[in-house]
């Protein structure tokens, strides 16, 4: 069995759906509304640009070569300039989850590939559906919007792929959706790498030469009866050194982190599967249903059965 790192696990329930490719000539002033209520939306600006306006009123400028990931589910807007939203403008809407994604793209003014007008705004937009709760830990680690600047070569390649999809050949929608899945992973990894101390602890730990072997072993086999001593042995250091380094880098003691990860996994299994309470308990490292239920209630304030009923 191949190892599963935390980021891959958290992304396992998130998929792009109905991605929209638009290369529109828009008459200023204009505003684009994104209305999918998706947990994550990615906007790659190939040409042109504007200002992303978030629900709380904050703005973030994006230009050619920028890829923005916006945390949902509230709708947000892209305007040609911040003042547009306060005055009369041409309003457009992108809805990737619309029944007819081609119609949603055409509402943006049509797809005009190859147009070199200075007014051209070329976007690739992907909205991501989520199944279950596994992705929630990832969302908690992200800011309301993050922006990564892409290389010119990447933008050119994306535009070529998008042009092929715009021709509506067989499989083009699936191609674009999978392309957006790949782009999401690449963008998140780039942001986490650059975020430094602001990156989530589970990501920082995987880049640490001492903690990485222990973290990988735990995430591969969460049901094993791990102890601080056994994880320290995986890291090849003393128990005291491991505990000190773990707490400093991860922001919590090792056992607190293990419990948090196990409870997150238990929440996902309670929501996404029909496994019994005892089966879920064993899968996250508890010998019996009673011990698991007691630990789960200490962590969440609810018994596993009550949590499952509320989630349903």
């Amino acid at each position: 069995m191949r190892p599963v790192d935390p980021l891959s696990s958290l992304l396992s329930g998130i998929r792009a759906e109905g991605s929209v490719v638009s290369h529109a000539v828009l008459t200023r002033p204009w505003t684009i509304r994104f209305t999918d209520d998706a947990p994550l939306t990615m906007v790659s600006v190939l040409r042109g640009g504007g200002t992303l306006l978030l629900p709380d009123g904050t703005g973030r400028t994006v230009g050619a070569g920028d890829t923005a990931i916006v945390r949902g589910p509230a709708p947000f807007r892209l305007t040609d300039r911040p003042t547009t939203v306060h005055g009369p403008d041409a309003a457009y809407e992108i809805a990737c989850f619309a029944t007819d994604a081609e119609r949603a793209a055409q509402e943006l003014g049509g797809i005009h590939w190859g147009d070199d007008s200075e007014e051209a705004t070329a976007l690739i937009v992907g909205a991501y559906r989520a199944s279950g709760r596994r992705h929630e830990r990832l969302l908690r680690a992200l800011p309301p919007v993050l922006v990564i600047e892409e290389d010119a070569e990447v933008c050119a390649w994306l535009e070529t792929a998008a042009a092929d999809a715009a021709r509506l050949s067989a499989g083009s929608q699936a191609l674009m959706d999978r392309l957006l899945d790949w782009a999401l992973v690449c963008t998140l990894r780039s942001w986490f790498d650059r975020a430094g101390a602001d990156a989530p602890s589970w990501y920082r730990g995987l880049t640490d030469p001492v903690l990485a072997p222990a973290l990988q072993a735990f995430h591969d086999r969460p049901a094993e009866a791990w102890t601080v001593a056994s994880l320290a042995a995986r890291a090849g250091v003393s128990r005291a050194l491991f505990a000190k380094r773990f707490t400093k880098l991860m922001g919590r003691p090792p056992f607190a982190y293990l419990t948090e990860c196990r409870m997150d996994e238990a929440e996902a299994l309670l929501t996404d599967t029909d496994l019994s309470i005892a089966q879920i308990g064993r899968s996250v490292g508890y010998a019996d249903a009673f011990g698991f239920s007691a630990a789960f209630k200490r962590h969440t304030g609810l018994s596993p059965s009550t949590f499952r009923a509320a989630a349903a």
Side-chain angles (χ1 to χ4, degrees):
M1 180 182 297
R2 299 183 65 182
V4 178
D5 63 272
L7 181 59
S8 296
S9 177
L10 296 178
L11 285 169
S12 63
I14 295 180
R15 289 289 182 272
E17 182 174 327
S19 53
V20 172
V21 180
S22 297
H23 188 175
V25 179
L26 305 177
T27 301
R28 292 178 177 148
W30 52 261
T31 297
I32 304 169
R33 296 182 69 250
F34 299 84
T35 59
D36 284 305
D37 298 333
L40 286 177
T41 302
M42 186 163 65
V43 181
S44 292
V45 183
L46 304 182
R47 303 186 193 182
T51 299
L52 285 168
L53 294 177
L54 304 183
D56 64 3
T58 59
R60 182 70 180 268
T61 301
V62 290
D66 287 340
T67 291
I69 295 178
V70 183
R71 191 182 67 203
F76 62 97
R77 288 169 289 185
L78 177 68
T79 72
D80 64 319
R81 58 186 183 274
T83 56
T84 294
V85 73
H86 300 299
D89 63 328
Y92 305 92
E93 183 171 298
I94 288 182
C96 295
F97 297 162
T99 303
D100 187 342
E102 179 185 2
R103 173 186 60 78
Q106 288 175 342
E107 288 176 0
L108 187 58
I111 300 172
H112 308 292
W113 290 103
D115 193 315
D116 293 324
S117 166
E118 292 183 359
E119 297 290 312
T121 295
L123 306 173
I124 297 179
V125 178
Y128 296 83
R129 286 194 191 277
S131 58
R133 302 174 63 96
R134 198 178 301 275
H135 68 288
E136 292 179 359
R137 191 176 179 205
L138 172 64
L139 296 186
R140 292 197 296 267
L142 299 179
V145 59
L146 62 90
V147 178
I148 293 292
E149 184 177 354
E150 303 287 0
D151 294 332
E153 293 80 2
V154 173
C155 291
W157 180 79
L158 280 172
E159 189 162 1
T160 300
D164 290 339
R167 298 189 185 100
L168 301 179
S169 56
S172 60
Q173 186 64 67
L175 171 65
M176 284 304 302
D177 288 346
R178 299 295 76 77
L179 176 64
L180 268 292
D181 287 338
W182 169 82
L184 176 65
V185 177
C186 293
T187 302
L188 288 175
R189 285 177 55 178
S190 295
W191 185 78
F192 286 147
D193 287 340
R194 300 175 191 180
D198 292 330
S201 59
W202 48 261
Y203 191 87
R204 298 197 309 272
L206 289 173
T207 65
D208 182 82
V210 173
L211 301 189
L215 286 171
Q216 190 64 68
F218 168 70
H219 284 287
D220 286 346
R221 301 189 302 280
E224 193 163 320
W226 294 108
T227 64
V228 175
S230 63
L231 289 172
R234 282 276 176 179
V237 297
S238 70
R239 182 183 183 279
L241 177 59
F242 178 80
K244 182 179 180 180
R245 188 180 184 94
F246 193 103
T247 303
K248 180 179 179 180
L249 184 63
M250 305 291 283
R252 59 184 74 77
F255 198 75
Y257 177 82
L258 300 186
T259 301
E260 180 182 312
C261 290
R262 283 169 168 159
M263 294 301 106
D264 283 344
E265 178 66 15
E267 287 184 8
L269 293 174
L270 286 166
T271 304
D272 303 342
T273 74
D274 294 323
L275 294 174
S276 69
I277 303 300
Q279 288 174 317
I280 293 174
R282 287 193 295 271
S283 73
V284 295
Y286 292 85
D288 56 66
F290 178 79
F292 166 64
S293 296
F296 190 88
K297 188 168 185 177
R298 282 196 304 270
H299 185 77
T300 65
L302 299 173
S303 68
S305 56
T306 302
F307 179 90
R308 171 173 271 174

